[in-house]
Amino acid sequence: MNDPETSFRTALHERVADQHPDYARISAGAISAGSRIRRRRRITGAVGAAAAVGAFTAGGLGLSQFLTTTAVDQAPLGAAGAPSASASTAPLASGQSLDLGDGVTGQVVTNDEAKTMDITIQTGSARPGAGTGFTIVLSGPAVAVEQKWSNGTLLEDYPGVTIATEGARVGLVDEVPVEQPPGWTCEWYLIDDGASCTSEDGGVAGLVIRPAEDYPDWSKSADKAGPGSGSYITPLHGDIFISVQSGEGTTDAELEALASSLRWTD
């Protein structure tokens, strides 16, 4: 069964990469595809579980959890091949090595095997299909790998698959950086740089810690923050700032009030 906390982490991480956050997916019970499966942390969960209302897309994942189409080659272990239109019709098998192009390879493991590995779950498909029950662990040049899981077509080429990258992502902070105002309760997942917050009246909002280098873009883009965008941001604080993003039952005014009421802990 899916762990609700793990489910949120998946959705939240996916939206971190999105240009246009939508935390309505989080309140809808998004999948745990953004959770970190690390042996030393003993974080286990349902790898490859589906997001509610089919809201999982990558890069435009969209996180908020939760995520057009070229075919991906499916080759035996150790083999390399060119993209094939038949990739989406054949099931995967543990031990395969996929040549995904641009120097990126994908190691195919079962979801149970993935739970024992030091990997980062990045996204997953909600649809049953050729990838159901499997995780593809990407490796290769960092930029190319990120492009494959965030804007690639693996989720469509292998419906049901979970996409992961090697190693665990390090969070931007080691401690909760802000205090929420009265009337709000927040659960933090620092390895995912974010929190799920619920108001006394049941409204939902998400907090995402972002690096200072992203602040100019967020502060100047009406699509990213401000009235009508679905999110607001805090002022820059050292090398981070926080975006406050909407969820089910939260009005624009409540979202703005939450963002302006957060208080830095240092």
Side-chain angles (χ1 to χ4, degrees), residues 117-143:
M117 302 172 67
D118 189 20
I119 59 177
T120 297
I121 301 301
Q122 299 290 8
T123 186
S125 168
R127 297 182 295 125
T132 300
F134 293 98
T135 296
I136 299 177
V137 183
L138 306 181
S139 60
V143 174

Side-chain angles (χ1 to χ4, degrees), residues 14 36 43 88 96 108 156 237 240:
E14 312 231 19
R36 298 304 182 264
I43 298 177
S88 61
Q96 284 181 301
V108 180
E156 296 187 15
H237 184 77
I240 62 172

Side-chain angles (χ1 to χ4, degrees), residues 62-183:
L63 80 212
S64 213
Q65 342 324 83
F66 241 10
L67 253 147
T68 281
T69 301
T70 59
V72 177
D73 180 46
Q74 179 185 9
L77 181 63
S84 168
S86 63
S88 61
T89 63
L92 296 174
S94 179
Q96 284 181 301
S97 179
L98 307 178
D99 181 357
L100 303 176
D102 300 323
V104 179
T105 59
Q107 176 190 359
V108 180
V109 298
T110 66
N111 290 346
D112 286 340
E113 290 171 332
K115 294 177 184 179
T116 70
M117 302 172 67
D118 189 20
I119 59 177
T120 297
I121 301 301
Q122 299 290 8
T123 186
S125 168
R127 297 182 295 125
T132 300
F134 293 98
T135 296
I136 299 177
V137 183
L138 306 181
S139 60
V143 174
V145 166
E146 182 174 359
Q147 186 75 9
K148 290 296 179 182
W149 73 256
S150 63
N151 297 318
T153 64
L154 288 175
L155 298 183
E156 296 187 15
D157 293 330
Y158 297 102
V161 77
T162 295
I163 306 300
T165 54
E166 297 178 326
R169 187 175 67 87
V170 178
L172 293 173
V173 298
D174 295 324
E175 298 179 352
V176 174
V178 293
E179 294 179 353
Q180 69 271 12

